[in-house]
């Protein structure tokens, strides 16, 4: 079973708008990561947030983490057509090891 | 820095046949991962190596899947015999630490 579940499953917005994706997980974690996958390409690491952090920024990306609710959100500001991709959250379940578990992803479509 | 290399990029086989995938990680990365990504789903970890030792293979169907990492560098994933449900993209990733993973382009396997 997958640890993380993204919401929504799909999102369609206009270029310039902001896109928000959410991730919920089940067990305690050490860190949470967000990855992007463009059509037909491999996954690219976007950002990592540790369990003791609440918010992190990287360029147009803003990630928040609420460990009490076991949830995270990824905000992409001023979206571009090139942001069209699938976005996955990945957690390392705090089971004594570092096994990364991916969610099913949110498919973002940015219309030019 | 050269990325993670995988071959072949595409493979079509009939059920009950055998197939092998090859991965060359980024130089110096001690950890190597094989993931299976079925269409519409997130990547599922099949096996994780630390140098040439197996860290986690709990989701590897060991009756038909096998993997090895020669001399702690290159790795091969084999399926024998293949089933229709093995149709997926097989992703290889490597990391220097336990956090950010660098993914290869993947091998798209179609079993007919």
């Amino acid at each position: 079973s997958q640890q993380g579940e993204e919401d929504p499953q799909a999102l369609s917005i206009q270029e310039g708008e902001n896109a928000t994706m959410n991730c919920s997980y089940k067990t305690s974690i050490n860190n949470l990561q967000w990855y992007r996958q463009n059509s037909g390409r491999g996954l690219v690491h976007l950002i990592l947030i540790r369990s003791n952090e609440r918010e992190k920024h990287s360029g147009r990306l803003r990630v928040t983490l609420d460990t009490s609710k076991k949830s995270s959100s990824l905000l992409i500001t001023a979206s571009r057509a090139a942001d069209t991709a699938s976005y996955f959250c990945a957690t390392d379940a705090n089971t004594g090891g570092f096994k990364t578990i991916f969610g099913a992803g949110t498919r973002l479509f940015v219309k030019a | 820095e050269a990325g993670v290399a995988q071959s072949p990029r595409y493979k079509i086989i009939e059920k009950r046949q055998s197939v092998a995938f090859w991965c060359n990680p980024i130089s110096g990365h001690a950890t190597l991962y094989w993931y299976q990504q079925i269409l519409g789903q997130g990547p599922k970890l099949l096996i994780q190596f630390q140098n040439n030792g197996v860290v986690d293979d709990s989701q590897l169907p060991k009756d038909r899947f096998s993997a090895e990492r020669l001399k702690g560098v290159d790795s091969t994933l084999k399926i024998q015999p293949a089933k229709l449900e093995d149709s997926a993209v097989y992703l290889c990733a490597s990391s220097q630490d336990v956090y950010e993973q660098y993914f290869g382009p993947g091998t798209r396997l179609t079993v007919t």
Side-chain angles (χ1 to χ4, degrees), chain B residues 26-103:
Chain B
I26 293 173
S27 177
H29 282 191
T31 308
L32 185 147
Y33 315 77
W34 282 103
Y35 289 89
Q36 179 193 60
Q37 187 176 22
I38 293 172
L39 186 65
Q41 299 182 19
K44 181 181 83 171
L45 179 68
L46 293 177
I47 189 167
Q48 177 179 337
F49 292 95
Q50 180 77 17
N51 295 310
N52 60 355
V54 176
V55 173
D56 188 316
D57 64 356
S58 58
Q59 298 192 95
L60 186 73
K62 298 180 185 62
D63 58 333
R64 299 184 300 106
F65 286 64
S66 64
E68 60 180 2
R69 189 177 185 192
L70 305 174
K71 300 180 181 178
V73 182
D74 291 11
S75 179
T76 302
L77 176 70
K78 296 179 181 178
I79 307 175
Q80 180 180 9
K83 294 184 176 181
L84 294 177
E85 58 261 36
D86 297 333
S87 293
V89 175
Y90 291 84
L91 297 165
C92 179
S94 69
S95 66
Q96 194 168 32
D97 54 35
V98 296
Y99 301 124
E100 182 174 354
Q101 297 179 33
Y102 294 82
F103 283 81

Side-chain angles (χ1 to χ4, degrees), chain A residues 1-21:
Chain A
S1 62
Q2 290 177 317
Q3 162 81 320
E5 293 186 5
E6 290 88 346
D7 169 64
Q9 289 186 331
L11 181 61
S12 181
I13 59 174
Q14 291 290 139
E15 204 167 31
E17 294 181 337
N18 295 341
T20 300
M21 289 159 270

Side-chain angles (χ1 to χ4, degrees), chain A residues 33-73:
Chain A
Q33 303 175 60
W34 285 90
Y35 285 80
R36 181 187 69 218
Q37 185 175 40
N38 295 94
S39 178
R41 300 182 63 180
L43 284 94
V44 174
H45 182 267
L46 295 176
I47 196 166
L48 177 149
I49 186 166
R50 300 181 191 277
S51 59
N52 61 353
E53 297 176 311
R54 292 297 168 259
E55 187 171 314
K56 204 162 184 179
H57 297 256
S58 176
R60 294 184 295 112
L61 305 180
R62 172 177 168 252
V63 169
T64 61
L65 178 65
D66 187 334
T67 53
S68 66
K69 295 181 180 179
K70 293 187 170 57
S71 67
S72 173
S73 67

